[in-house]
Amino acid sequence: MTTKIRYYSTNRNLTDTPGITPFKGYVSFRDALLKGQAPDEGLFMPDTIPVISLDDVMELKGEAYPASAMLVAKAFLYDDISSDELKEIVEASYNFTVPLERVVDRKYVMRLDQGPTASFKDFAARMMARLMSHFRDKGKMLNVLVATSGDTGSAVGEAFKGVPGIDVNILYPRDEVSGRQKKQLDTIGDNVQAISVEGKFDDCQNLVKQAFSDPSLDYLNLTSANSINFGRILPQIIYYVYSYAQLAEKGEGIVLSVPSGNFGNALGCEYARRMGIPVKKLVMPTNENDEFPEYLKAGRYEKVSPSRACLSNAMNVGHPSNLARFFDLYGGTVDRLGTVYVYPDIDAMRKRIFSVGVSDGVTKKTIKSAYDKYGVILEPHGAVGWRGLEIYIEEYGDFPLCVSLETAHPAKFPDEIEELLDIISELPQSMKDVDKRVGEPLELSGDYRKFREYLQDNLRTKSS
Ligand SMILES: *Cc1c(COP(=O)(O)O)cnc(C)c1O
């Protein structure tokens, strides 16, 4: 008889550290999902990683994506939710295609860009939203607050749209989002309200943080849907299992390349390996924010601060939030500010993980060369991934089965694609429809009292 998986905090060992009271307990999946973060500001980690059998994995060959989602999610949640309910959740979450595009030989690009916001973040956000709806206190409304500087907010907003029992407020900085991002956020509608804040991203984040720590708002049942929630990591394990099942012979190795910023996506691959997928190497290319490849090279971790503005803008991260989870899996401890308390087993890490920084210049060259040589259209994030794979092969020799992830749709980068390839990439239908939508945001100053007043006057507490 297996026991239920419990979740602990990455900060649990930080006794005698000023400002931190380590959380030494365990919580259920439900609590990890609804709380988002441990009380000591650490990240929740499963205390056991379930193993799936390769026989079961190979059964997924030729099956649609939700079948892979079931196998992975069931392995973690067998004791938390019934199969029927889980099936409903994964089928509603994954109602779009996951193309595996052959580039050359048995090297593929997996396109995670067919969801409603044409970003891989749709995969995690859509499943997390439905899990939250399932696990919330019935009868009570769950009120999600998100601060966003752009793309994450729309992925989260779209993911929660129409999901029962949950209302969402998304705060964005008025002058820092592009015209298209603003349109995308303002017009989601239904149970999702956009709030345009006079100020910067940090101001939005401060408003949200203050609301979370304000006891006078406890009755509103506020929660976050941020990227460190384990509920967003779990869905990011699935596509690695899916691609292996579709492309591999049972038991053969696979090299996976994951363009990385906050390392949540790559962490999904690390878990997939620990669950039993024969990942020969996890390639984690970054853009010029190369604190991690530098660490693997030199053995000393130093965050990049301030972070560098690169073309692959969703990866402009100087200290990846999920590094704390990677360190923990390899026996180390780092906090959210980038202070290392215990270094992980770097030899074990180097054996499993290869990382390299890819400059903007090389990113552009790769977009061009991938198109000229193979006719494959990549946008900047996917190009960082592909170039990372090429560098891995140059240094370690060829490997038969390789998959590189494309995390956004090329049409989201029309200027770069036109400049480099002289073509116009068509937006997926979901994104074209955005232009026809209407909707206005609520406008607020950065003043917390006004924000609190808005929340008290407008948020619903009861759900049917
Ligand atoms: C968020 C994002 C990434 C980085 O993923 P992490 O999980 O933060 O490493 C890469 N590409 C795109 C398009 C993204 O939106």
Side-chain angles (χ1 to χ4, degrees):
M1 187 60 207
T2 36
T3 49
K4 202 175 163 103
I5 298 173
R6 300 178 306 165
Y7 294 78
Y8 64 81
S9 166
T10 52
N11 282 351
R12 72 199 175 289
N13 294 326
L14 296 184
T15 336
D16 305 327
T17 311
I20 297 181
T21 311
F23 174 70
K24 294 180 168 298
Y26 294 87
V27 302
S28 64
F29 176 79
R30 176 181 190 272
D31 284 350
L33 176 73
L34 296 180
K35 291 188 202 319
Q37 193 168 17
D40 58 7
E41 298 195 329
L43 278 60
F44 283 124
M45 300 280 289
D47 68 345
T48 313
I49 299 171
V51 170
I52 50 182
S53 85
L54 277 186
D55 286 330
D56 288 349
V57 172
M58 298 322 289
E59 294 271 311
L60 301 169
K61 201 181 274 294
E63 296 291 324
Y65 192 82
S68 297
M70 274 306 279
L71 182 68
V72 173
K74 197 73 203 158
F76 275 92
L77 306 178
Y78 55 90
D79 218 13
D80 301 278
I81 181 169
S82 76
S83 288
D84 287 348
E85 288 166 314
L86 193 58
K87 192 150 188 273
E88 226 172 89
I89 288 174
V90 300
E91 283 178 353
S93 302
Y94 302 119
N95 55 0
F96 49 86
T97 59
V98 187
L100 284 157
E101 183 177 336
R102 198 170 79 92
V103 180
V104 58
D105 302 328
R106 292 177 73 216
K107 299 186 172 61
Y108 294 81
V109 163
M110 178 159 51
R111 294 203 178 268
L112 304 178
D113 60 1
Q114 302 296 302
T117 68
S119 145
F120 93 96
K121 294 201 168 62
D122 290 329
F123 282 79
R126 289 176 67 77
M127 186 159 159
M128 179 175 70
R130 286 162 181 80
L131 287 170
M132 280 183 155
S133 176
H134 172 83
F135 283 107
R136 84 198 139 91
D137 287 325
K138 297 291 168 323
K140 261 198 201 168
M141 191 59 89
L142 195 59
N143 279 296
V144 173
L145 300 182
V146 202
T148 183
S149 53
D151 277 354
T152 308
S154 49
V156 169
E158 291 288 350
F160 280 99
K161 181 174 182 169
V163 171
I166 303 186
D167 284 344
V168 182
N169 282 273
I170 303 176
L171 288 74
Y172 68 81
R174 193 165 303 166
D175 300 323
E176 287 183 3
V177 298
S178 71
R180 181 191 288 157
Q181 284 172 330
K182 179 174 157 52
K183 177 96 185 170
Q184 224 178 356
L185 290 164
D186 291 347
T187 61
I188 297 172
D190 203 345
N191 56 331
V192 182
Q193 173 70 52
I195 302 178
S196 158
V197 175
E198 193 184 311
K200 299 186 174 304
F201 171 62
D202 285 344
D203 298 306
C204 299
Q205 207 159 27
N206 281 336
L207 289 178
V208 168
K209 275 191 183 155
Q210 274 177 279
F212 284 137
S213 57
D214 185 340
S216 75
L217 298 180
D218 279 352
Y219 74 101
L220 289 175
N221 208 13
L222 299 177
T223 189
S224 70
N226 56 26
S227 59
I228 57 177
N229 194 309
F230 190 79
R232 271 177 70 169
I233 302 296
L234 174 56
Q236 292 177 173
I237 304 171
I238 298 164
Y239 33 77
Y240 300 105
V241 175
Y242 173 78
S243 65
Y244 187 83
Q246 306 314 313
L247 300 174
E249 301 294 332
K250 185 182 163 191
E252 79 166 320
I254 185 170
V255 170
L256 286 147
S257 183
V258 187
S260 292
N262 267 318
F263 292 12
N265 198 1
L267 185 71
C269 188
E270 176 73 29
Y271 278 121
R273 181 178 69 73
R274 288 171 188 249
M275 292 179 81
I277 301 298
V279 179
K280 156 86 178 164
K281 204 82 170 187
L282 163 56
V283 180
M284 291 173 58
T286 65
N287 59 24
E288 292 168 30
N289 293 283
D290 57 357
E291 63 285 340
F292 185 63
E294 284 302 310
Y295 161 66
L296 283 186
K297 207 187 294 166
R300 238 186 82 80
Y301 181 73
E302 233 172 299
K303 67 179 173 185
V304 170
S305 177
S307 59
R308 298 171 185 140
C310 298
L311 268 179
S312 47
N313 54 359
M315 309 196 311
N316 291 338
V317 179
H319 171 54
S321 49
N322 282 296
L323 189 67
R325 287 192 169 112
F326 268 102
F327 270 34
D328 192 86
L329 285 171
Y330 286 90
T333 307
V334 60
D335 70 11
R336 70 185 171 83
L337 300 175
T339 307
V340 178
Y341 297 91
V342 179
Y343 271 102
D345 180 347
I346 195 168
D347 293 328
M349 244 184 190
R350 285 172 176 150
K351 185 164 165 239
R352 298 299 181 187
I353 300 172
F354 173 79
S355 183
V356 61
V358 176
S359 69
D360 274 0
V362 172
T363 303
K364 285 188 178 180
K365 273 193 197 137
T366 305
I367 293 176
K368 189 150 170 43
S369 70
Y371 186 66
D372 291 347
K373 268 209 230 124
Y374 309 117
V376 170
I377 305 176
L378 299 174
E379 54 68 62
H381 304 83
V384 167
W386 182 254
R387 183 58 200 150
L389 178 61
E390 287 181 336
I391 296 172
Y392 171 73
I393 288 171
E394 284 161 21
E395 291 188 15
Y396 287 80
D398 200 6
F399 197 79
L401 180 59
C402 303
V403 175
S404 185
L405 270 53
E406 178 51 291
T407 50
H409 196 284
K412 291 176 105 174
F413 295 83
D415 299 344
E416 285 81 5
I417 299 299
E418 200 180 345
E419 174 203 321
L420 294 164
L421 308 184
D422 206 18
I423 56 169
I424 297 188
S425 172
E426 281 253 337
L427 276 172
Q429 192 58 43
S430 60
M431 298 278 293
K432 282 190 202 159
D433 293 343
V434 172
D435 291 334
K436 289 179 240 145
R437 301 194 311 207
V438 289
E440 290 299 324
L442 183 93
E443 311 229 333
L444 280 182
S445 67
D447 177 28
Y448 179 65
R449 277 171 311 168
K450 288 270 160 51
F451 180 52
R452 181 169 60 194
E453 215 172 275
Y454 160 77
L455 296 175
Q456 288 170 328
D457 293 348
N458 291 279
L459 264 47
R460 301 189 289 177
T461 56
K462 285 204 188 73
S463 82
S464 48

